[in-house]
């Protein structure tokens, strides 16, 4: 992968932007919980980073294919830097903080979808699958650093100072993408309404049985994983831990994901990675059920680590999804994938936070594990039923 010249700046830009994003997220969560003491509002700061994905992913997803990828990526980074700069101001009120968090979430699916589609132009075959896996590993590693180390650093560093660091990461990412990647033309040329084109494309993708089943597979398990992430702060607080405990709990699942995808990508053949995808997905939510026993914080961290160790199923999903989607719709499909996944994660966090207002966090997390397990098994049944249906069939 690194022998491909364009992949190197894309990788470096991804490292910078992911590190800044997750470091800022834990800073915002701690800031809101300190000011309000509310599990619901704390979950909402995570949820607002996800719920607006639906609006952006459906109405604006056509941007990824209609405009040159480099232009879209650089513009997204610059807009993110501007939003985070306002968040870092000492006089920014709580309402504006929530609003700008939502704006950032409108930008993110366009950036991620465009980058994922352009990656398929740079890397081919199984190298593309491994490239996607590597970027996910970076995302999870950024969570470990941004959540884990971020929680420790915030003991002495103010949340707004952490947001200032994030501004610099977005600006550096924009510079790397502008100077290090080729200016390829847009995939499609259109003069009609962008929103209409995006809606029609989303409808076409969702009407295809195979693509729809794979999208649901991408979307459903993370929706229930997110409940545990959204309740990490109140769970750690109930256990008597401070921001360091929050960071360690949030970092546990990403740490397991890094180990899982590294092992699968380096030790298993492409066929083996495909074979383990569905069994691992079926097992991924089982450990969360153990929260019913109200585990102490170290055990809870271990449980979330095991959840992350099941995440190698994504390598098989990458291969199947890129095979199922027409090339001219690849950018929109990737944007829709990311938008749906993040929106449902935000929904899961919001519902989990609301239930945690009247029930203990450990019970809510366990219930999410049970419901998620049943839902995932139903989705996997649908994936198996569609088999390898061709792109042109419904």
């Amino acid at each position: 992968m690194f022998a491909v010249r364009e992949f190197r700046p894309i990788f470096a830009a991804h490292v910078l932007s992911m590190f800044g994003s997750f470091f800022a997220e834990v800073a915002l969560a701690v800031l809101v919980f300190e000011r309000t003491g509310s599990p619901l509002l704390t979950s909402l700061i995570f949820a607002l980073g996800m719920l607006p994905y639906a609006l952006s992913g459906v109405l604006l997803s056509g941007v990824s294919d209609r405009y040159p990828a480099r232009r879209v990526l650089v513009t997204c980074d610059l807009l993110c830097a501007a939003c985070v700069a306002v968040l870092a101001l000492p006089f920014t009120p709580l309402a504006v903080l929530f609003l700008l968090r939502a704006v950032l979430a409108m930008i993110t699916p366009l950036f991620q979808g465009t980058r994922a589609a352009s990656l398929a132009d740079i890397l081919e075959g199984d190298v593309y699958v491994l490239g996607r896996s590597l970027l996910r590993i970076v995302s999870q590693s950024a969570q470990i650093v941004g959540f884990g180390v971020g929680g420790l650093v915030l003991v002495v560093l103010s949340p707004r100072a952490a947001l200032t660091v994030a501004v610099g990461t977005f600006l550096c990412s924009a510079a790397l993408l502008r100077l290090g990647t080729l200016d390829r033309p847009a995939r499609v040329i259109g003069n009609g309404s962008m929103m209409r084109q995006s809606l029609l494309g989303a409808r076409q993708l969702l009407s295809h049985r195979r693509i729809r089943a794979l999208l649901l597979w991408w979307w459903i398990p993370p929706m229930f994983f997110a409940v545990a992430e959204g309740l990490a702060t109140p769970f750690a607080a109930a256990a008597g831990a401070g921001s360091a405990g929050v960071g360690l709990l949030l970092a546990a699942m990403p740490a397991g994901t890094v180990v899982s995808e590294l092992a699968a990508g380096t030790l298993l053949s492409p066929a083996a990675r495909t074979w383990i995808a569905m069994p691992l997905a079926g097992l991924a939510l089982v450990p969360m059920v153990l929260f019913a026993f109200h585990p102490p914080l170290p055990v809870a961290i271990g449980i979330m680590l095991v959840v992350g160790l099941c995440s190698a199923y994504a390598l098989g999903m990458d291969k199947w999804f890129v095979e199922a989607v027409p090339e001219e719709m690849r950018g929109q499909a990737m944007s829709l994938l990311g938008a749906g996944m993040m929106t449902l994660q935000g929904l899961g966090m919001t519902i989990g936070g609301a239930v945690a207002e009247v029930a203990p966090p450990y019970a809510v997390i366990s219930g999410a594990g049970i419901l998620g397990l049943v839902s995932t098994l139903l989705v996997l049944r649908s994936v198996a039923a569609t088999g390898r249906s061709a792109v042109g069939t419904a």
Side-chain angles (χ1 to χ4, degrees):
M1 290 178 287
F2 287 101
V4 180
R5 186 187 64 82
E6 279 189 273
F7 182 75
R8 296 193 291 270
I10 290 176
F11 176 80
H14 183 67
V15 171
L16 288 169
S17 61
M18 288 297 97
F19 180 86
S21 295
F22 292 123
F23 195 78
E25 195 164 11
V26 71
L28 289 173
V30 171
L31 179 64
V32 170
F33 191 71
E34 287 178 348
R35 293 177 63 175
T36 67
S38 170
L40 176 59
L41 290 179
T42 304
S43 293
L44 188 61
I45 201 62
F46 287 101
L48 282 175
M50 301 175 183
L51 288 175
Y53 267 57
L55 184 62
S56 176
V58 174
L59 297 181
L60 301 178
S61 58
V63 171
S64 297
D65 295 314
R66 193 164 175 176
Y67 294 96
R70 188 177 72 177
R71 187 189 308 172
V72 175
L73 293 172
V74 172
T75 301
C76 287
D77 264 338
L78 293 177
L79 290 174
C80 287
C83 289
V84 177
V86 177
L87 290 174
L89 297 175
F91 50 79
T92 302
L94 193 63
V96 175
L97 186 150
F98 283 122
L99 176 62
L100 289 177
R101 188 71 185 93
V103 172
L104 285 169
M106 295 283 290
I107 300 170
T108 304
L110 297 180
F111 182 87
Q112 292 179 343
T114 303
R115 186 188 59 208
S118 63
L119 195 65
D121 296 330
I122 297 170
L123 304 177
E124 298 181 357
D126 191 55
V127 180
Y128 165 76
V129 174
L130 295 177
R132 283 269 290 168
S133 175
L134 181 60
L135 293 187
R136 278 195 302 271
I137 289 171
V138 171
S139 297
Q140 301 303 320
S141 299
Q143 288 191 53
I144 298 170
V145 176
F147 285 153
V149 176
L152 296 172
V153 170
L154 284 172
V155 174
V156 294
L157 186 66
S158 73
R160 295 191 187 279
L163 294 173
T164 303
V165 175
V167 174
T169 65
F170 284 118
L171 292 176
C172 291
S173 174
L176 283 167
L177 293 170
R178 175 62 179 82
L179 300 174
T181 60
L182 297 178
D183 189 16
R184 292 182 173 83
R187 287 184 177 81
V188 296
I189 299 176
N191 297 317
S193 167
M194 174 60 65
M195 289 188 179
R196 182 174 182 274
Q197 178 183 333
S198 298
L199 286 170
L200 289 175
R203 180 179 179 181
Q204 182 179 346
L205 290 167
L206 291 171
S207 66
H208 186 278
R209 290 180 64 238
R210 177 65 173 173
I211 295 175
R212 184 173 62 248
L214 291 171
L215 284 171
L216 287 172
W217 188 6
W218 276 108
W219 293 344
I220 295 301
M223 175 183 179
F224 295 95
F225 297 151
V227 174
E229 293 184 333
L231 294 177
T233 301
F235 182 90
S243 60
V246 177
L248 291 173
L249 185 57
L250 286 170
M253 188 168 68
T257 299
V258 169
V259 173
S260 178
E261 292 216 26
L262 277 174
T266 56
L267 301 178
L268 300 181
S269 67
R273 293 195 296 267
T274 300
W275 184 84
I276 66 171
M278 295 183 71
L280 277 180
L283 293 172
L285 282 145
V286 173
M288 283 177 55
V289 179
L290 299 177
F291 273 87
F293 298 101
H294 195 185
L297 185 62
V299 176
I301 292 172
I303 290 173
M304 297 311 298
L305 180 68
V306 174
V307 171
L309 289 173
C310 296
S311 64
Y313 68 80
L315 276 77
M317 294 165 64
D318 275 329
K319 181 176 184 295
W320 291 339
F321 193 70
V322 77
E323 290 175 347
V325 175
E327 182 178 354
E328 66 274 11
M329 300 185 70
R330 190 177 288 157
Q332 184 167 7
M334 292 297 183
S335 296
L336 184 63
L337 185 157
M341 185 164 61
M342 298 301 285
T343 299
L344 289 179
Q345 285 185 71
L347 181 62
M349 286 184 176
T350 303
I351 295 174
V355 176
E357 293 284 341
V358 296
Y362 72 87
V364 178
I365 296 172
S366 177
I370 296 171
L371 290 175
L373 175 61
V374 174
S375 301
T376 299
L377 292 177
L378 292 174
V379 169
L380 293 177
R381 181 181 179 183
S382 177
V383 171
T386 59
R388 297 296 184 89
S389 58
V391 171
T393 64

